[in-house]
Amino acid sequence: MTRFLTGCLVCCLSACLASPLFAGSSLDSTLSSPGWISTALEQISAERMLADIRTLSGPTYKGRLTGSAEDEASATFVANRFSELRLNRSPALPPESRTNPLPQREWKQTASVPTRTIAEKPLLELVLSQQRLTLHGGSQFLPVLDSPSADIRGRVVFVGYGIVDPSQGIDDYAGQDVRNAIVLFLRGKPDSYATPVSHADKERLAKQHGAIGYLTATGPILSAYERRRGVTGTPSAYYSSTVSENQLPGAWISTETAEWILAQAASTDATLRGLQETLNRPSSRSMRTDAVAEMKWRSLVKTGTLFNIMSIIRGYAPNDDETVLVGAHRDHFGQQAGLLFAGADDNASGTAVLLEVARVFALAPAAPKRSVLFLSFSGEEQGLLGSRLYVDQPIVPLSNTIGMINVDHAGTGNGRLTVGVTGFEKTMAQRAGETAGLSDKLDVFGYFPGGDHVPFKEAGVPTVAVVSGGVHPHFHQPSDTVETVNPEILRSVARYVLTLTWQLANEP
């Protein structure tokens, strides 16, 4: 997807460093004292964050599809909030502190990107003899969001997980002629199969074997990761990120629908669960069904502009060249197939936490030892486009970025916090939890897959991913609205991110 990025910086850091606003300060920081963080934690407002989530996930921004006019409007909302922080210093502070400009500068970073929309009233029908089953959009099927337009009809052939790996004795297409057929493959891969396999790999193989389209579904046996994330059998909004020459029309169907299709397999009484148990050994198991699928929809592709929005609080000398980056993606899926994906938990919640932590830092009486860069990404849902753009063209050299904190899905769950750490000792993350009064709610792991911290990890920057723990039942669903957000969970995430940022910005 990075082939679409033609980013440009509105303001470069070298020019800003020459500005008097960025001159090295002899001001001793009071932020390194535990007294400041205790006071700052009390300033966190769940009500303010909830109001921001209500605004960003409301009808004005229409789901914040990357590259859309509504996404640009949400970028302006964030940029204005950053600017207000610099201008609205507290009158209660002494005059010398009120003139200290925190945050000291804002930037935007742009790139040309595709905007992809599935038009209203997509159709997926399953036909068997004289029986015709019209699937309900959203609950029973959803076109893959970067799927090409569809107007196809074909016999459904089940091809397991859709994997071909002769070195492991796996060929899910063995013995099946899928030319002019629509293949059905399960999402993911067997737990015992160590080689990574992407959806794009499966789509490419389907096309190479002559399929004209595909269906994909979650199997009834969930992996440990799927169980932890609360994956259900309902189809979700999803981009395959398949290169154009390998694309096929495709849809995610419900587990129940996949089971119905397999019940129509000729001369077999196999169930989807039984087939998945065989596949998980791993072993291939494919079959032709008597079901015929008809798929019709329009896929609209335009060119838009991605916006990353940034604001920095400058550290005081001699550590001002070292920076802590706090990020959260702002984009979601927009309006797809006649459904609005509002994206309250994903990730208006993380954006609200970002703005609230920036607000509290901006009201501090002095600067931290190290600089703190707050970054609102777009393009996360389309393959981490915004974070990859930043890593390619960083405002602060990555060698001077001592850590990246990524906040995503911060508003629902079981009240615990999931923290994924790479490049740091886990004790560092646990220490922040103790300071924030959240040690009994913290679950610290190693690498957390997926999210805008991944490009930073790949570039060698230590990362911490912060997600509210437990099941997120509205993940990538139209039901992800502000009414599902828990303000106490939101408060806990913001307290933790504030403490962790303070700790990294002020430790020796």
Side-chain angles (χ1 to χ4, degrees):
M1 296 296 288
T2 55
R3 65 189 184 281
F4 294 111
L5 298 180
T6 56
C8 63
L9 297 183
V10 173
C11 174
C12 69
L13 184 61
S14 59
C16 293
L17 288 173
S19 164
L21 288 176
F22 280 79
S25 170
S26 59
L27 178 67
D28 287 335
S29 176
T30 59
L31 266 68
S32 57
S33 116
W36 179 83
I37 190 63
S38 297
T39 301
L41 286 170
E42 297 307 311
Q43 296 175 348
I44 292 290
S45 169
E47 292 75 19
R48 186 180 288 104
M49 289 186 286
L50 204 59
D52 286 342
I53 295 170
R54 183 172 289 106
T55 297
L56 287 168
S57 62
T60 299
Y61 297 108
K62 296 180 181 177
R64 311 179 306 280
L65 174 67
T66 299
S68 67
E70 292 78 20
D71 186 36
E72 181 177 358
S74 73
T76 300
F77 172 85
V78 171
N80 288 342
R81 291 291 296 276
F82 282 153
S83 297
E84 289 167 5
L85 296 181
R86 176 162 49 87
L87 297 173
N88 296 336
R89 300 291 290 152
S90 170
L93 295 175
E96 62 271 21
S97 293
R98 292 204 303 271
T99 59
N100 186 29
L102 302 174
Q104 294 176 346
R105 190 61 60 96
E106 296 82 42
W107 296 268
K108 66 178 178 180
Q109 193 177 42
T110 63
S112 177
V113 294
T115 63
R116 305 177 184 275
T117 306
I118 303 296
E120 293 185 13
K121 299 181 180 178
L123 176 70
L124 176 50
E125 292 187 329
L126 298 172
V127 182
L128 180 67
S129 300
Q130 302 302 313
Q131 186 179 3
R132 180 178 292 267
L133 177 65
T134 300
L135 301 185
H136 186 269
S139 60
Q140 293 182 311
F141 89 101
L142 189 67
V144 173
L145 300 187
D146 53 355
S147 167
S149 296
D151 188 358
I152 58 176
R153 175 186 172 96
R155 182 66 58 90
V156 179
V157 180
F158 178 68
V159 291
Y161 282 104
I163 299 172
V164 176
D165 185 352
S167 68
Q168 299 296 313
I170 299 175
D171 184 353
D172 287 336
Y173 286 85
Q176 296 297 332
D177 182 358
V178 301
R179 288 175 294 179
N180 299 313
I182 294 172
V183 296
L184 166 61
F185 53 76
L186 296 179
R187 295 183 52 74
K189 64 183 183 68
D191 286 340
S192 57
Y193 182 67
T195 305
V197 56
S198 69
H199 179 102
D201 294 330
K202 299 180 182 186
E203 194 170 346
R204 172 181 51 80
L205 284 168
K207 188 166 187 178
Q208 287 177 353
H209 282 81
I212 58 171
Y214 69 87
L215 304 172
T216 187
T218 302
I221 303 172
L222 300 179
S223 68
Y225 175 75
E226 288 171 330
R227 288 193 300 273
R228 189 166 71 245
R229 293 304 302 270
V231 172
T232 68
T234 304
S236 297
Y238 177 74
Y239 292 100
S240 73
S241 300
T242 304
V243 296
S244 56
E245 57 266 28
N246 292 330
Q247 283 185 327
L248 288 172
W252 186 335
I253 61 174
S254 68
T255 303
E256 182 181 20
T257 301
E259 289 171 334
W260 184 90
I261 291 172
L262 286 172
Q264 319 310 317
S267 65
T268 180
D269 57 356
T271 64
L272 184 56
R273 177 175 292 274
L275 289 168
Q276 192 176 10
E277 288 173 347
T278 300
L279 292 165
N280 285 349
R281 285 200 267 273
S283 175
S284 295
R285 184 76 188 275
S286 59
M287 62 187 65
R288 189 176 182 85
T289 77
D290 289 335
V292 172
E294 295 183 1
M295 302 160 64
K296 293 182 182 181
W297 59 75
R298 287 190 305 123
S299 179
L300 310 175
V301 183
K302 300 180 181 178
T303 299
T305 301
L306 172 151
F307 289 87
N308 287 340
I309 305 298
M310 291 162 273
S311 183
I312 197 166
I313 291 178
R314 191 75 181 152
Y316 71 85
N319 297 305
D320 61 351
D321 59 337
E322 295 183 342
T323 300
V324 179
L325 194 155
V326 185
H329 80 88
R330 187 185 67 253
D331 63 294
H332 199 54
F333 295 107
Q335 291 182 302
Q336 302 284 353
L339 303 169
L340 174 62
F341 291 83
D345 181 44
D346 182 16
N347 189 35
S349 68
T351 303
V353 169
L354 179 79
L355 292 173
E356 184 67 358
V357 172
R359 183 189 71 85
V360 173
F361 261 96
L363 291 175
K369 290 182 181 179
R370 298 179 179 87
S371 298
V372 180
L373 179 66
F374 296 95
L375 206 164
S376 171
F377 298 107
S378 189
E380 191 268 356
E381 303 291 9
Q382 291 197 34
L384 314 180
L385 296 184
S387 50
R388 293 196 186 281
L389 171 61
Y390 181 86
V391 168
D392 287 343
Q393 302 179 33
I395 290 288
V396 177
L398 296 182
S399 58
N400 291 343
T401 304
I402 68 164
M404 189 274 180
I405 303 168
N406 185 43
V407 191
D408 205 346
H409 300 283
T412 65
N414 60 9
R416 301 186 65 78
L417 273 64
T418 295
V419 179
V421 180
T422 64
F424 290 116
E425 294 294 329
K426 291 181 181 178
T427 52
M428 178 277 300
Q430 291 163 340
R431 209 164 60 247
E434 292 169 3
T435 303
L438 297 166
S439 57
D440 61 334
K441 296 182 177 180
L442 214 61
D443 297 310
V444 180
F445 300 93
Y447 174 59
F448 186 89
D452 281 316
H453 56 287
V454 173
F456 291 87
K457 172 189 177 293
E458 293 171 347
V461 176
T463 67
V464 182
V466 184
V467 180
S468 54
V471 172
H472 291 243
H474 308 284
F475 177 71
H476 288 194
Q477 300 291 329
S479 56
D480 180 10
T481 62
V482 66
E483 291 78 17
T484 69
V485 173
N486 184 316
E488 289 308 310
I489 292 176
L490 204 60
R491 191 196 312 272
S492 293
V493 174
R495 286 172 62 91
Y496 182 76
V497 172
L498 174 66
T499 305
L500 182 63
T501 305
W502 166 80
Q503 183 175 294
L504 292 176
N506 288 286
E507 285 189 334

